[in-house]
Amino acid sequence: MTAEEILTELQASFPGLAKSDAQVKDYPAWTVPAQSVRAVCERLRSKFSFDYLDVITAVDWSGQVNPKGYPQSLGQQGSEAAGQPDSQTAQPSSLIPHPSSFPQGRPAAQPAGARDIFELVYLVSALSTGVKICLRCEIPRKEPAAPSLYGIFMAADWQEREVYDLFGIHFEGHPNLKRILTPETQAGYPLRKDYEHVSDRYD
Amino acid sequence: MGIILDNLPKIERLPGGGIALTTADFLINWSRNSSMWPLTFGLACCAIEMMAAYASRFDFERMGVFPRPTPRQADVMFVAGTVAKKMAPPIIRIYKQMPEPKFVIAMGGCANCGGPFYDSYSVVKGVDRIIPVDVYIPGCPPRPEALMYAVIKLQQKIRLMKVKNGHGATPLQSAGARKLV
C-alpha cells in the first residue's frame, strides 16, 4: 500500500488531513490538524503497521532571524539592543569587531513566509512495507500544545521531551515532560527565534 | 626495586652501597610524576585522541600514564572534549572525589575556552570556569603527541612541588589557584 492510498483511506475519517507540497527528502508530507495527530498516528500504527517513529521536531516560523540569542556582548544589532547588558560583560570593542560591522546575510525585513506558528514535524515509517510519511502540524506560538504520542511509539517519550526542552511545546498526556538535554536551570527555550540568552554561572 | 639510581640527580650513594640519600621532595615528586594515573572518562571527540594515546601505537603507559576506572584512584583528570552545562555538575563532583594531589589537563579548544561552541547556550566556556586547570592543550582535537607533551609539562610542574607547601602544592597552587568557586 503506497502513501497515496493510505492518505485517501485516512481522509474518509479525518477530513482535516491533506497532502502538503513541502516534501521532506523522500517522505511524502501531509498536513494534519493538531487535535487529530494522535488519532491519525494511532490508526497508522494499528492499521497500516507504521511501527517506527523516526523523529519529532519542530520549526519556529515566527520570521525575522536576528542574533538576539547570542550573548549580549555580541548580539546587539543597531536599535534592536532592547535589553542593554551591564557593561561588565561587554567585550572590549577594540578586541572583537562589533557585529554591526559584519556583513548582514539575512534580510532586515520580516520574510514573506513568516507566521506566528510552530510547526511540528513527525516522520513515521513502516519498516515492514517501507512506506514513509512526514506529518506536519501547525500549532499557535502562544501557549503551544499538542497531543502526546506516548503509548503509540516508544520513541515519542524522549523525542517529545527534546522538543519541549528546546521549543517549549507542551505535549498533553506525556507522563514525564521535563527537560532532557539542557540543565534544569536553563531559562527559556533555546531554539525559539525570540530566545534571549540569560547568562548563568557557567557563562 | 629495580630503580636505576645512577641516572637520577640528587641521589647520593654511600660507599659500600645499600643506602642512598636524597631529599623527601625529590623522592615524592619522582614517584608522583612517574605514575600519573588519569581518570577514565571522555566527553567528546578529543576522547578519541586520548584513547589513541592509551593504545599501542603511542603507548601512554610507558610514561606511567595508566587509566583508572574510579576517581578515588586517579591523580590527573583529562578533560577531553566539550563541557556541556549539564555535564558541569558531574565534573565538579568527580573532581572533588579525586584524592589530593590532583591535577587537571584541559584537552582541546572546547575544554580550554568553549571552542567553536563559545556562543552556545549550552556549553561551559572553558572547564577552568568550574575547576582549576594545570595544563591547557590547544588543538581541535590535539594529537596524542600533544597530550603526551601536556603530561611532560605537568611532570615538570610536579617537580616544583614542595612538601612544606601543604599537600605538595606547586607554587601557583599554593598562591591560591586551587580554590574552587
Side-chain angles (χ1 to χ4, degrees):
Chain A
M1 204 171 212
T2 64
E4 292 280 340
E5 290 162 358
I6 295 172
L7 178 63
T8 45
E9 196 163 330
L10 278 178
Q11 269 171 336
S13 27
F14 303 104
L17 204 59
K19 199 167 164 30
S20 162
D21 302 330
Q23 182 163 338
V24 178
K25 287 192 172 176
D26 52 344
Y27 290 72
W30 305 348
T31 53
V32 52
Q35 67 269 17
S36 52
V37 164
R38 190 176 165 92
V40 167
C41 287
E42 225 157 19
R43 187 74 63 85
L44 284 173
R45 169 96 204 203
S46 59
K47 198 167 175 197
F48 302 100
S49 72
F50 275 73
D51 48 359
Y52 184 64
L53 176 69
D54 295 34
V55 68
I56 301 176
T57 186
V59 185
D60 185 351
W61 284 106
S62 68
Q64 185 183 2
V65 183
N66 66 33
K68 264 187 177 173
Y70 278 64
Q72 295 281 16
S73 51
L74 288 171
Q76 295 157 27
Q77 192 183 22
S79 58
E80 280 283 306
Q84 193 69 21
D86 50 330
S87 55
Q88 292 167 345
T89 56
Q91 303 273 358
S93 56
S94 57
L95 294 178
I96 299 174
H98 195 270
S100 60
S101 66
F102 295 165
Q104 295 294 325
R106 290 165 175 145
Q110 186 105 333
R115 285 173 300 163
D116 210 24
I117 56 160
F118 285 123
E119 186 176 41
L120 280 169
V121 181
Y122 300 83
L123 301 185
V124 289
S125 48
L127 295 180
S128 51
T129 57
V131 184
K132 306 167 174 181
I133 288 166
C134 166
L135 293 172
R136 305 174 78 103
C137 162
E138 293 181 1
I139 52 176
R141 229 167 150 280
K142 199 172 181 185
E143 294 177 17
S148 169
L149 297 190
Y150 188 91
I152 303 177
F153 298 110
M154 292 286 279
D157 185 353
W158 283 16
Q159 293 280 350
E160 284 174 355
R161 280 178 66 187
E162 184 185 341
V163 173
Y164 166 74
D165 189 356
L166 301 176
F167 287 93
I169 294 170
H170 191 80
F171 287 92
E172 286 149 356
H174 193 290
N176 186 29
L177 197 64
K178 58 179 189 182
R179 291 185 180 276
I180 186 170
L181 294 177
T182 60
E184 307 282 314
T185 54
Q186 172 76 40
Y189 303 105
L191 291 194
R192 287 190 180 189
K193 290 270 174 71
D194 56 359
Y195 172 72
E196 204 154 343
H197 187 71
V198 181
S199 291
D200 55 23
R201 53 184 293 229
Y202 300 125
D203 281 326
Chain B
M1 296 209 289
I3 303 170
I4 305 167
L5 296 176
D6 297 335
N7 296 336
L8 294 174
K10 295 187 186 172
I11 295 276
E12 189 181 333
R13 299 189 75 167
L14 293 189
I19 296 179
L21 292 182
T22 182
T23 61
D25 274 343
F26 175 78
L27 191 66
I28 291 170
N29 290 344
W30 171 73
S31 55
R32 267 181 193 154
N33 66 25
S34 306
S35 63
M36 305 241 303
W37 288 357
L39 181 59
T40 309
F41 86 110
L43 297 174
C45 33
C46 281
I48 301 292
E49 300 294 309
M50 183 182 70
M51 286 180 253
Y54 291 143
S56 54
R57 186 182 184 95
F58 296 95
D59 193 16
F60 229 166
E61 205 172 328
R62 68 197 155 96
M63 297 167 66
V65 177
F66 175 58
R68 302 306 302 173
T70 159
R72 303 292 186 199
Q73 300 170 353
D75 306 302
V76 56
M77 178 199 271
F78 296 152
V79 183
T82 316
V83 185
K85 281 175 186 169
K86 191 146 185 169
M87 196 61 198
I91 286 180
I92 296 173
R93 186 171 176 175
I94 56 176
Y95 179 79
K96 286 177 175 168
Q97 285 175 341
M98 284 164 64
E100 290 279 1
K102 49 193 172 186
F103 308 95
V104 176
I105 292 178
M107 181 179 183
C110 297
N112 289 346
C113 64
F117 310 109
Y118 184 83
D119 284 337
S120 169
Y121 53 87
S122 64
V123 172
V124 179
K125 297 173 185 9
V127 74
D128 54 359
R129 306 255 174 150
I130 53 174
I131 55 174
V133 175
D134 292 283
V135 181
Y136 298 84
I137 324 172
C140 189
R143 281 188 58 87
E145 293 96 325
L147 186 57
M148 294 178 151
Y149 182 67
V151 169
I152 292 167
K153 281 296 188 194
L154 187 54
Q155 285 174 340
Q156 288 175 3
K157 210 169 170 178
I158 289 173
R159 285 191 197 106
L160 300 176
M161 291 168 76
K162 287 189 178 3
V163 173
K164 67 175 182 181
N165 287 349
H167 281 305
T170 62
L172 194 65
Q173 288 161 1
S174 59
R178 185 41 71 78
K179 294 271 190 319
L180 277 182
V181 279

